Amino acid sequence: DAKTTQPPSMDCAEGRAANLPCNHSTISGNEYVYWYRQIHSQGPQYIIHGLKNNETNEMASLIITEDRKSSTLILPHATLRDTAVYYCIVRVNLSNTGKLIFGQGTTLQVKP
Amino acid sequence: DSGVTQTPKHLITATGQRVTLRCSPRSGDLSVYWYQQSLDQGLQFLIQYYNGEERAKGNILERFSAQQFPDLHSELNLSSLELGDSALYFCASSVELAGGQETQYFGPGTRLLVL
């Protein structure tokens, strides 16, 4: 699975959009980009995933560049409850195992 | 609430002891994963079971073992415990969808403290 690079930390003002970047320059054609978050030692929570098209769900939007070498997770209106560590993971969906390889992630601090 | 349950929530034990962590997956999920999260190693994949069979192994120590039962619940057994085994242990479950897409849902974890 391709490696990902994320900034270690970011701040965001409450009510503003939080844009979390992720670089995955070695991604291959059959690898998906997944985002999970972990709120203070709770179990990681699935947010969104995508292959090459932009995706949106009730939690967030995922923007993947055309060359697929980077992506951005967007939380449109961040709240204090969005303070968490956000993990960008690249994974082959069609492998025989769905194991997730977590990096260090980005610690997002949403401030009032 | 992810629908994945783990027991116990907290466990305190001594070095050299053996403990069993239990995980009940979401209804209908056939895959169970175990992850360990320690302060210095981050979240690490340990092992995966699919419908009762071991499917993948990660950085799981030989002192650790797991199994998945016919009712699909899983247990992680940790033996000859050492101080360094103190960590959060998460279980996740998933169902495979068409095209190989899969979403893992994590339980609340078991916090193990070895004294």
Side-chain angles (χ1 to χ4, degrees):
Chain A
D1 295 329
K3 288 187 178 177
T4 61
T5 304
Q6 300 177 251
S9 64
M10 292 182 64
D11 288 344
C12 177
E14 189 178 18
R16 303 298 295 269
N19 297 286
L20 292 93
C22 179
N23 285 324
H24 30 79
S25 58
T26 60
I27 194 169
S28 53
N30 60 349
E31 288 182 313
Y32 283 69
V33 180
Y34 281 78
W35 283 84
Y36 281 77
R37 73 180 182 183
Q38 186 176 24
I39 299 172
H40 191 245
S41 298
Q42 296 178 20
Q45 178 188 24
Y46 166 79
I47 302 173
I48 199 167
H49 76 281
L51 182 62
K52 51 185 176 183
N53 297 321
N54 298 337
E55 303 287 345
T56 295
N57 63 21
E58 65 279 2
M59 288 184 68
S61 294
L62 174 60
I63 309 297
I64 302 175
T65 58
E66 194 168 339
D67 64 7
R68 303 208 323 120
K69 292 185 177 182
S70 66
S71 60
T72 301
L73 178 74
I74 301 172
L75 307 178
H77 306 287
T79 71
L80 298 178
R81 287 176 295 181
D82 292 321
T83 292
V85 179
Y86 288 76
Y87 297 98
C88 169
I89 300 167
V90 171
R91 216 201 79 198
V92 177
N93 254 357
L94 301 180
S95 68
N96 67 343
T97 172
K99 66 179 181 182
L100 297 173
I101 299 174
F102 290 85
Q104 296 305 307
T106 296
T107 298
L108 175 68
Q109 182 74 45
V110 180
K111 299 185 173 181
Chain B
D1 184 0
S2 66
V4 178
T5 60
Q6 290 186 248
T7 56
K9 289 186 178 169
H10 302 277
L11 201 47
I12 302 175
T13 188
T15 54
Q17 295 298 306
R18 172 189 168 96
V19 297
T20 297
L21 312 184
R22 182 187 169 104
C23 168
S24 293
R26 297 185 322 150
S27 177
D29 286 359
L30 299 179
S31 270
V32 170
Y33 301 80
W34 286 97
Y35 293 84
Q36 178 193 56
Q37 185 172 32
S38 58
L39 282 175
D40 56 345
Q41 295 289 328
L43 262 164
Q44 290 207 309
F45 166 73
L46 294 179
I47 197 164
Q48 177 197 2
Y49 277 81
Y50 178 81
N51 203 19
E53 299 290 327
E54 181 184 305
R55 179 171 271 193
K57 254 184 178 178
N59 298 324
I60 187 166
L61 299 172
E62 284 193 11
R63 301 183 284 108
F64 296 1
S65 65
Q67 54 185 326
Q68 187 179 27
F69 295 86
D71 67 352
L72 301 177
H73 91 271
S74 177
E75 292 181 356
L76 179 67
N77 300 296
L78 315 177
S79 62
S80 302
L81 284 167
E82 302 175 359
L83 296 177
D85 298 327
S86 295
L88 274 166
Y89 291 85
F90 291 106
C91 162
S93 74
S94 72
V95 60
E96 291 186 13
L97 305 174
Q101 294 187 61
E102 177 211 50
T103 298
Q104 289 184 31
Y105 295 90
F106 284 76
T110 293
R111 185 178 293 275
L112 174 66
L113 179 60
V114 182
L115 299 175

